[in-house]
Amino acid sequence: MDKNSEVIPFLNDNKYPGIFGWIFSTDHKKIGLLYMYSTLILFIIGVIIGLLIRIELIAPGKTIVDPQTYNAFFTVHGVIMIFLFVIPSIPAAFGNLFLPIQIGAEDVAFPKLNLFSWWLYIIGLILILFSLFTGKGAPDTGWTFYVPFSEFTTTNVSVAVIGVFILGFSSILTGLNFITTVHRLRMPEMKWMKMPLFVWALYATAWIQVLATPILGITVLLIFVERMFGIGLFDPAKGGDPILYQHLFWIYSHPAVYIMVVPAMGVITEIIPVFARKHIFGYKAIAFSSLAIAFAGSLVWAHHMYTSGMSDTAVIIFSFLTFIVAIPTAIKVFNWVATLYKGSIIVEPPLLFALSFIFLFSIGGLTGLILGAAGTDIHVHDTYFVVGHFHYTIFGGTGFGFFGAMHYWFPKIYGRMYNKRIATIAWALLFIGFNILYFPMLVIGMMGMPRRYYDYLPQYHTGHIISTVGSWILAVGLIIMFYNLFKSIKHGEKVGKNPWEAATLEWTTPSPPPTLNFVSEPKLTRGPYDYKGVEEDEQYS
Amino acid sequence: MSNIHKDYLGSKFGMWLFLFTEILLFGGLFILYSIYLHKYPTEFHLAGKELNVYFGGGNTVALVTSSLFMAMSISAIQKDDKKLAITFLSITLALAFVFLTNKYFEWGAKFHHGIYPDSPALLERPKGEIIFFGLYFVMTGLHGIHVIIGAIIIIYTLFMLKYEKVNKDDFVLLENAGLYWHLVDLIWIYLFPLFYLIL
């Protein structure tokens, strides 16, 4: 199998000319990159809408748009960010790119299905974009599509929910593919307890994708059926119960939060030991805590519904279960910190993103306790406190995990290194802008500013101004970061196999990897976090 | 490029996972059914009496028999009898059409009596009955769509059998089609008593 003389990197291996070499390729790495590019484009669109929302809210009363457009803004911002960026981002992009390589496989178990998943993603995406510009206006329900409003609004909800249904299908197929890949295609020497923890995180995520997403499928399908045929399953006038909708919706959408954040935790778990030059602290605890989060996270959906009219017993039970999720989450955080303790830390951009992940996600988690406790939740329910909380968790968590992954694996994907100084500056701006943007939300939420409101009382004005200014700093950080990465794809300094001197399998293959991932049969010579004797990269140090 | 060997177990594994998702898809509707049954027991009872148990029973026989022929088709290809496999699979397909035709007449009769979603006659009835017929149309409708999808898969498999893409050594496609068909059958086995028998 010695083809050492001529290794064609996957980026140049095209069966078809031009763009078809990408969109018909069943190579998991190309599909991963397709996902990465498409989710990033959607992310930028979502950010632009978010910035417009912030500008509208910089002063009370009308600033740039009318109330109906504002409703469409926050709905579209939510739908795009949740369904089109955050959920597919890390598992579909980086999972596809690195899951097979990390377990020493040549591809995923079902390469054609993998490509089909991406096509479904694009079809869902087109439907959602289509819903914005056709019919009687963009959906204005909020990304949760709560009934009965979503049944009766004249805006284009029907098209949007079908888009969401198809996206859910795409997510299920990706999860199914990953589970089968992990079970069937691991190299024989790689036992379960030798898998990299990113693989464990993806494995846990895949189970949530497979087990929770169908419920969302039926829920949005029911909205479509209700709107088309007026059956009335959720319409009180016909005997239906809107609360049931909320149950069905959150049975998926709460576990979906863990689809978003568990893979990001996996990324952080890969980054931290590499830059602390130390074996990860508590390998098994981290591996099992991923599964524990997946399991416990499936039992807590009704903590979104304390004020919706449930029995007190149900509220107490769901409050209790919600607190249980904090345990495996805290296990991870403590293990990351323990890994850093007495390590020889090398501060590089990926580590900065990982550290800010821990900081921001901790704030998200601690504010989550306030929302998870039934008593305090009654006070801050549906206020900006919630908005602040989930942006700290999802953007501060998944978003920074995604940026960390981009900076960590960039040299592996393109064989080049970005400018680390610019990357650090971009990171600092992102981190500062992020906190200026979202921290005031926690404060005005505590003061009573409701979420999703177009207008507000003067006492919230200062908070909104600070927050909007923060959004600009954040945007500048994003522009610098993307510019730096984009430029480095072609012009960055060339790197060898292992610029970070990491120990997982993807760093033993050339950068960028060849089509079938490895030049010769991969050998498992060390554990994923054993750095002793990792060969220094001769082309780069 | 694909030098990955055909992974028989992997294909079956993936199919089983997919079947779980299908069960969960219907699971959402079963949750709705159980809650509304709890809420409107008498209305469900009265409305359920209006469904024709002979239609439902006939369809149950059709589907269960079709599953039998599906299983026999797999046995036939394992014994390398392509012709017999095609015959059995064609009977499965024919029974799927029997099911759909039957359903067409059953739904047609209901429509004829003015019972369809959001119809004036239905809206005059008590709330529980509106919900019962709503669930009836949604659940049997979704199941009907699955029968159609299953039929399309069977037609595709028939062609694969004909051109020997499915053969004695590689029949996982037929097996997976069979698994899917058994699931469609299984879901009906739950729907039938819920709507026609226990009420």
Side-chain angles (χ1 to χ4, degrees), chain A residues 425-436:
Chain A
I425 294 168
W427 164 79
L429 282 171
L430 282 173
F431 185 69
I432 294 165
F434 184 97
N435 283 298
I436 298 177

Side-chain angles (χ1 to χ4, degrees), chain B residues 52-73:
Chain B
N52 189 328
V53 73
Y54 297 106
F55 269 119
N59 262 348
T60 310
V61 173
L63 271 193
V64 174
T65 319
S66 74
S67 261
L68 171 70
F69 279 101
M70 176 59 95
M72 292 202 294
S73 171

Side-chain angles (χ1 to χ4, degrees), chain B residues 24-128:
Chain B
L24 287 160
L25 184 80
F26 277 92
L29 290 170
F30 283 119
I31 290 173
L32 287 185
Y33 182 96
S34 60
I35 287 167
Y36 286 128
L37 174 65
H38 177 73
K39 200 170 171 186
Y40 305 111
T42 33
E43 289 91 338
F44 266 48
H45 178 74
L46 292 173
K49 287 271 176 252
E50 291 179 39
L51 294 183
N52 189 328
V53 73
Y54 297 106
F55 269 119
N59 262 348
T60 310
V61 173
L63 271 193
V64 174
T65 319
S66 74
S67 261
L68 171 70
F69 279 101
M70 176 59 95
M72 292 202 294
S73 171
I74 296 167
S75 296
I77 199 70
Q78 281 170 337
K79 290 178 180 151
D80 207 11
D81 193 338
K82 177 183 155 193
K83 229 177 134 188
L84 196 61
I86 290 181
T87 315
F88 284 151
L89 198 56
S90 306
I91 297 173
T92 312
L93 184 64
L95 286 167
F97 282 110
V98 169
F99 179 91
L100 288 171
T101 318
N102 208 348
K103 191 101 256 163
Y104 170 78
F105 283 115
E106 191 188 353
W107 274 33
K110 284 277 165 299
F111 280 37
H112 187 69
H113 292 116
I115 298 176
Y116 52 89
D118 221 14
S119 71
L122 187 59
L123 288 185
E124 279 171 18
R125 291 170 170 239
K127 283 179 176 175

Side-chain angles (χ1 to χ4, degrees), chain A residues 435-501:
Chain A
N435 283 298
I436 298 177
L437 168 54
Y438 294 114
F439 200 80
M441 291 191 182
L442 297 173
V443 178
I444 56 175
M446 278 287 188
M447 290 160 67
M449 168 83 204
R451 73 199 271 206
R452 292 179 171 158
Y453 274 34
Y454 174 70
D455 201 358
Y456 53 84
L457 296 171
Q459 65 258 39
Y460 306 123
H461 194 183
T462 322
H464 278 296
I465 291 180
I466 299 174
S467 182
T468 304
V469 172
S471 74
W472 299 335
I473 301 176
L474 185 81
V476 173
L478 285 175
I479 291 168
I480 296 176
M481 181 182 76
F482 285 130
Y483 168 78
N484 182 28
L485 292 178
F486 188 69
K487 198 173 144 241
S488 308
I489 291 177
K490 282 263 175 342
H491 305 289
E493 194 187 341
K494 283 206 170 182
V495 296
K497 281 182 181 177
N498 194 357
W500 308 124
E501 291 165 42

Side-chain angles (χ1 to χ4, degrees), chain A residues 106-107 110 169 172 176 179-180 183-184 207 210-211 214 218 222 229-233 236-241 244, chain B residues 1 3-4 7 9-10 13-14 17-18 21 24-25 29 32 35-36 40 117-118 123 127 130-131 134-135 138 142:
Chain A
E106 287 178 343
D107 207 324
F110 309 115
F169 209 13
I172 288 175
L176 187 157
I179 294 176
T180 317
H183 275 274
R184 298 294 304 161
W207 275 111
V210 167
L211 295 178
I218 193 65
L222 281 172
F229 307 111
I231 289 172
L233 290 178
K238 295 174 186 167
D241 186 352
L244 275 177
Chain B
M1 190 191 87
N3 61 350
I4 297 161
D7 182 4
L9 269 176
F13 192 91
L17 281 175
F18 181 71
T21 70
L24 287 160
L25 184 80
L29 290 170
L32 287 185
I35 287 167
Y36 286 128
Y40 305 111
D118 221 14
L123 288 185
K127 283 179 176 175
I130 303 177
I131 293 292
L135 281 171
V138 171
L142 189 64

